Amino acid sequence: MTAILVALVGFPLVIDCQAQAPQQPPFDFSDAFYLANGINPANLLTHVDGTCPVSDKPSCSVVDNSNTDPNRRNIRVRSTTGGFDHDGNVLYYNIFGRVMPTSFTNDAAGQQAMQIANFFSAYHFPKASGDPLSPELSNRRQDNVFDTRNGYNVANPLGLWTLVFVSYTPDAFNTPEGQATLAQLAAKNGTDLDGTPIIKKAIEVDVLERKGFAETQARALDGSQGFRWVVCPIIANPRAGAITSDAFLKNVLRQDGSPVDPEVQIQFLCLQLTGNFCR
């Protein structure tokens, strides 16, 4: 197995082979669970439905009757996307649906769901030449960062996020302090498709914005600019079968096909082939 991984990623890897309990793959939530947590699943855009559309926007899913969780249904999502948590650790997530204002139920649960969705930020990084408010993979200069601070694992049962778009400002390039800040960040994290520094931590967004070297935007609350939120649960423990053999990775690639951040791809392959992270 290690030999396979060496061939795929180009250098030796050490695999942590400690036994792990089987993990639940990414099954969609049941209608009852959505409604209890303030979302009407009938009003989600591109809600996963057990098909793999040619465009794959946003997700490829299959019917799988092996689910045993009463809060889930028999739709399993294959397409998996990589990114980083607030500390810069690699994570994987699945997009179950896109949320419009009408997706929230008209009751206290819906009000709470909107508060949760507005509180948690999923940072997207559009290309400088692209639409500054487009989350499409083809428009991203790097993989996403999720601000998982403030109790995400407990406080956000559906994985609701506001899409927050991060762009560099002119001061980042045209001032000595901005140039120095970007050079330090690039030396630490590498560079993205635009040749600008990769951002891996939520605090890096905070610092850049505070210094005036980055700006953040979100789509309008009324839905006039398109969906503002997503149902996008992070795979809590991607080991021991949570990344299934038929899953595939959607990450940001360079022109030559290599990943912008190799670790996202390497760890996905290790998890899929061995059920555990590489070391």
Side-chain angles (χ1 to χ4, degrees):
M1 193 68 71
T2 302
I4 295 173
L5 289 170
V6 170
L8 285 171
V9 301
F11 52 88
L13 298 167
V14 177
I15 299 170
D16 184 353
C17 291
Q18 294 179 347
Q20 302 292 334
Q23 301 300 321
Q24 176 86 317
F27 286 95
D28 186 27
F29 299 111
S30 68
D31 287 357
F33 193 76
Y34 273 116
L35 291 167
N37 287 281
I39 292 292
N40 183 348
N43 291 342
L44 290 173
L45 301 180
T46 55
H47 189 195
V48 291
D49 60 2
T51 65
C52 291
V54 174
S55 62
D56 193 28
K57 293 182 179 179
S59 289
C60 166
S61 59
V62 294
V63 176
D64 183 341
N65 293 316
S66 68
N67 170 57
T68 59
D69 185 340
N71 291 327
R72 305 276 179 156
R73 64 183 183 127
N74 67 339
I75 302 299
R76 178 172 56 79
V77 183
R78 292 177 56 204
S79 48
T80 306
T81 309
F84 305 95
D85 69 10
H86 71 279
D87 275 333
N89 301 306
V90 170
L91 55 73
Y92 299 95
Y93 61 94
N94 308 94
I95 301 171
F96 289 177
R98 295 167 168 177
V99 181
M100 294 291 286
T102 55
S103 304
F104 296 98
T105 55
N106 190 25
D107 56 14
Q111 294 173 8
Q112 183 177 16
M114 182 175 280
Q115 290 176 352
I116 292 170
N118 284 327
F119 183 77
F120 287 96
S121 298
Y123 293 114
H124 286 243
F125 302 89
K127 295 175 181 176
S129 60
D131 181 346
L133 292 176
S134 169
E136 300 303 332
L137 187 63
S138 60
N139 188 50
R140 299 182 200 175
R141 65 182 190 267
Q142 67 159 83
D143 296 310
N144 296 344
V145 173
F146 290 79
D147 192 345
T148 50
R149 294 173 291 190
N150 302 305
Y152 161 77
N153 290 326
V154 174
N156 197 343
L158 291 178
L160 295 170
W161 303 89
T162 293
L163 305 183
V164 177
F165 300 92
V166 183
S167 299
Y168 286 107
T169 66
D171 282 351
F173 308 107
N174 300 329
T175 66
E177 184 184 1
Q179 293 169 1
T181 298
L182 265 58
Q184 292 172 356
L185 193 58
K188 181 175 70 170
N189 293 345
T191 56
D192 57 30
L193 293 185
D194 285 347
T196 50
I198 294 173
I199 296 171
K200 290 189 176 182
K201 298 181 179 181
I203 195 170
E204 291 171 348
V205 176
D206 296 341
V207 170
L208 288 166
E209 188 170 29
R210 185 169 63 248
K211 290 183 174 182
F213 302 144
E215 60 181 1
T216 58
Q217 305 178 73
R219 288 176 168 179
L221 282 164
D222 62 5
S224 59
Q225 295 174 304
F227 63 94
R228 175 186 172 94
W229 311 274
V230 288
V231 179
C232 186
I234 294 168
I235 300 175
N237 182 358
R239 298 176 293 178
I243 304 295
T244 57
S245 61
D246 63 346
F248 58 91
L249 183 65
K250 297 167 62 179
N251 58 330
V252 179
L253 302 176
R254 300 188 187 277
Q255 196 167 23
D256 64 1
S258 63
V260 168
D261 195 295
E263 186 183 7
V264 171
Q265 184 165 307
I266 291 168
Q267 295 295 357
F268 179 85
L269 293 171
C270 285
L271 288 162
Q272 186 173 55
L273 294 171
T274 73
N276 220 326
F277 289 101
C278 307
R279 289 190 285 122

